[in-house]
């Protein structure tokens, strides 16, 4: 029996052998049934035999299990010297990355970040911004209209209206978000992003505006000094209105943002007394600033979701 146990090489056979010995009709079971008829010596012998056999089965079972585990491990063959599979790490989208930079700077100046709805009503996108119905300035922006007269926000200026209405003055905020216009080429996308600053208090002047804008550009583009050029412009919601250009790499003037002193009508529309308060607003294309900083040339790439491009987007 001992030899038979030793020669068994798998658990199923061992189980069968065990049953043939200890099962209901097993040889040992039969012998044990006769126990009462045996004398003391024979009983002791039988008990020993019983214990020894059970132990032999137990040991053999452990051996077979161990052997099977080793065989399995061999099959799996772990090579600890193999280099790991390349790990695909995500990167921040260049817009997200630039927003972190932009908001860090503006917040350090005391501006608070605001957002607002992308589907805007006429009041917040146009009328409160001193652009009543039939105002020719509505044609400056090719607007997507909803059937109910709402619009896809054409400018983050809508957020400044909401901020003034709900927060009141004094206020120092910047609105960020997606904006929509019917236009599409390498530098225009029907959906793009704007960031807009607003500072209204009792003694705010154009020099405050220029100071903040210059300092902002200097920090964002990491320049020791920044040269800007101011041109008169027109926006219905600012008076006077200006456009700010920046000297790029010492040679090219680039149009960077629109700005101006908040029009008294806009303040009044938000329940603010324009004889008591005044302020400035500036707005720029967030995508455009990111493109300049990271040296990208096609705005549409921001929205393609091409991971290879995003990985190499330059920051
Ligand atoms: N909203 C203007 C635009 O979209 C930009 C702007 C913002 C101009 C704030 C002046 C002040 O062109």
């Amino acid at each position: 029996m001992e030899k038979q146990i030793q020669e068994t090489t798998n658990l199923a056979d061992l189980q069968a052998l065990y049953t043939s010995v200890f099962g209901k009709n097993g040889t040992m079971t039969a012998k044990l049934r006769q126990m009462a008829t045996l004398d003391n010596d024979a009983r002791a012998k039988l008990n020993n035999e019983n214990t020894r056999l059970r132990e032999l089965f137990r040991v053999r079972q452990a051996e077979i299990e161990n052997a099977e585990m080793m065989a399995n491990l061999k099959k799996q063959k772990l090579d600890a010297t193999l280099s790991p599979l390349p790990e695909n790490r995500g990167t921040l989208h260049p817009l997200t990355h630039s927003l972190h930079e932009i908001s860090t700077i503006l917040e350090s100046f005391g501006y608070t970040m605001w957002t607002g709805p992308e589907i805007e009503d006429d009041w917040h996108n146009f009328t409160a911004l001193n652009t009543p119905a039939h105002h020719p300035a509505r044609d400056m922006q090719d607007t997507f209209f909803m059937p109910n007269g709402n619009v896809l926000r054409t400018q983050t200026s809508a957020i400044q209206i909401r901020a003034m209405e709900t927060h009141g003055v004094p206020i120092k905020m910047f609105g960020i978000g997606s904006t929509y216009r019917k236009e599409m080429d390498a530098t225009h996308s029907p959906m793009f992003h704007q960031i807009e600053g607003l500072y209204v208090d009792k003694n705010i002047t154009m020099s405050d505006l220029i100071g903040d804008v210059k300092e902002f550009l200097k920090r964002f583009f990491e320049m020791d000094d920044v040269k800007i050029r101011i041109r008169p412009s027109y926006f219905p919601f600012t008076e006077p209105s200006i456009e700010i250009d920046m000297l790029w790499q010492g040679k090219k003037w680039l149009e960077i943002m629109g700005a101006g002193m908040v029009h008294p009508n806009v303040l009044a529309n938000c329940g603010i007394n324009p004889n008591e308060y005044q302020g400035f607003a500036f707005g720029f294309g967030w995508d455009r600033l990111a493109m300049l900083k990271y040296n990208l040339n096609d705005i549409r790439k921001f929205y393609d979701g091409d991971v290879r491009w995003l990985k190499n987007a330059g920051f």
Side-chain angles (χ1 to χ4, degrees):
M1 178 50 61
E2 186 169 347
K3 193 161 169 258
Q4 255 182 298
I5 296 173
Q6 290 309 327
E7 283 172 355
T8 308
T9 52
N10 65 69
L11 290 174
D13 289 352
L14 192 69
Q15 179 62 46
L17 191 59
Y18 183 91
T19 309
S20 77
V21 179
F22 292 107
K24 218 164 84 195
N25 304 312
T27 49
M28 179 56 75
T29 313
K31 284 185 198 167
L32 291 171
R33 280 202 194 104
Q34 303 304 315
M35 189 74 111
T37 67
L38 300 179
D39 60 28
N40 279 351
D41 275 1
R43 273 193 200 185
K45 233 179 107 191
L46 185 57
N47 265 331
N48 283 343
E49 173 71 358
N50 182 27
T51 317
R52 198 178 68 91
L53 274 183
R54 284 185 194 274
E55 178 64 10
L56 283 175
F57 273 106
R58 196 193 60 73
V59 170
R60 186 62 191 149
Q61 181 180 348
E63 283 172 359
I64 294 175
E65 280 172 354
N66 197 41
E68 283 183 357
M69 189 180 77
M70 293 312 279
N72 264 337
L73 283 177
K74 258 204 189 124
K75 260 192 272 164
Q76 290 175 5
K77 258 212 173 159
L78 176 81
D79 183 349
T81 66
L82 270 181
S83 46
L85 290 174
E87 190 186 336
N88 249 336
R89 285 197 169 210
T91 49
L92 285 181
H93 192 279
L95 286 180
T96 311
H97 186 79
S98 60
L99 177 62
H100 289 172
E101 297 184 322
I102 291 168
S103 59
T104 304
I105 300 169
L106 290 179
E107 280 163 0
S108 80
F109 295 172
Y111 292 84
T112 316
M113 185 154 88
W114 284 65
T115 55
E118 289 175 33
I119 298 177
E120 260 304 2
D121 51 37
D122 182 276
W123 171 256
H124 291 95
N125 196 77
F126 287 126
T127 305
L129 284 159
N130 200 31
T131 320
H134 311 301
H135 192 291
R138 289 194 178 206
D139 297 338
M140 283 164 72
Q141 303 169 352
D142 284 323
T143 309
F144 288 107
F145 285 96
M146 316 285 283
N148 65 357
N150 283 347
V151 298
L152 288 181
R153 176 172 68 194
T154 62
Q155 49 190 353
T156 45
S157 308
I159 304 175
Q160 60 161 278
I161 298 300
R162 288 182 178 275
M164 284 190 284
E165 280 175 346
T166 57
H167 180 279
V169 278
I171 188 168
K172 198 171 187 184
M173 55 76 68
F174 66 104
I176 64 145
S178 313
T179 43
Y180 301 84
R181 294 179 199 177
K182 289 186 210 159
E183 46 193 17
M184 173 90 156
D185 57 37
T187 53
H188 295 90
S189 151
M191 191 275 293
F192 58 107
H193 298 82
Q194 284 190 332
I195 293 182
E196 174 156 335
L198 172 79
Y199 187 10
V200 181
D201 204 338
K202 287 197 167 151
N203 299 302
I204 304 301
T205 68
M206 195 79 121
S207 348
D208 297 310
L209 163 67
I210 291 163
D212 274 7
V213 165
K214 274 185 89 166
E215 191 57 29
F216 168 76
L217 292 174
K218 212 166 92 178
R219 292 203 202 172
F220 180 68
F221 289 108
E222 294 162 34
M223 301 182 291
D224 295 330
D225 195 19
V226 59
K227 279 212 161 51
I228 63 164
R229 189 170 74 176
I230 289 166
R231 287 178 291 110
S233 184
Y234 173 77
F235 301 102
F237 37 86
T238 44
E239 180 59 38
S241 300
I242 59 172
E243 206 114 18
I244 301 176
D245 302 339
M246 181 181 83
L247 188 61
W248 185 244
Q249 291 166 349
K251 28 182 202 289
K252 236 186 0 185
W253 287 103
L254 293 180
E255 191 182 311
I256 294 289
M257 62 176 83
M261 298 306 289
V262 181
H263 196 291
N265 289 352
V266 175
L267 295 173
N269 285 339
C270 299
I272 297 161
N273 182 355
N275 296 320
E276 211 181 331
Y277 285 93
Q278 57 185 13
F280 63 74
F282 59 91
F284 54 83
W286 166 7
D287 317 68
R288 185 169 144 73
L289 244 56
M291 285 167 77
L292 277 173
K293 176 153 181 181
Y294 310 134
N295 208 11
L296 308 171
N297 51 24
D298 189 342
I299 192 174
R300 292 166 296 198
K301 293 271 186 212
F302 280 130
Y303 316 119
D304 284 349
D306 179 342
V307 175
R308 290 161 304 178
W309 181 84
L310 290 170
K311 268 196 179 320
N312 295 306
F315 53 82

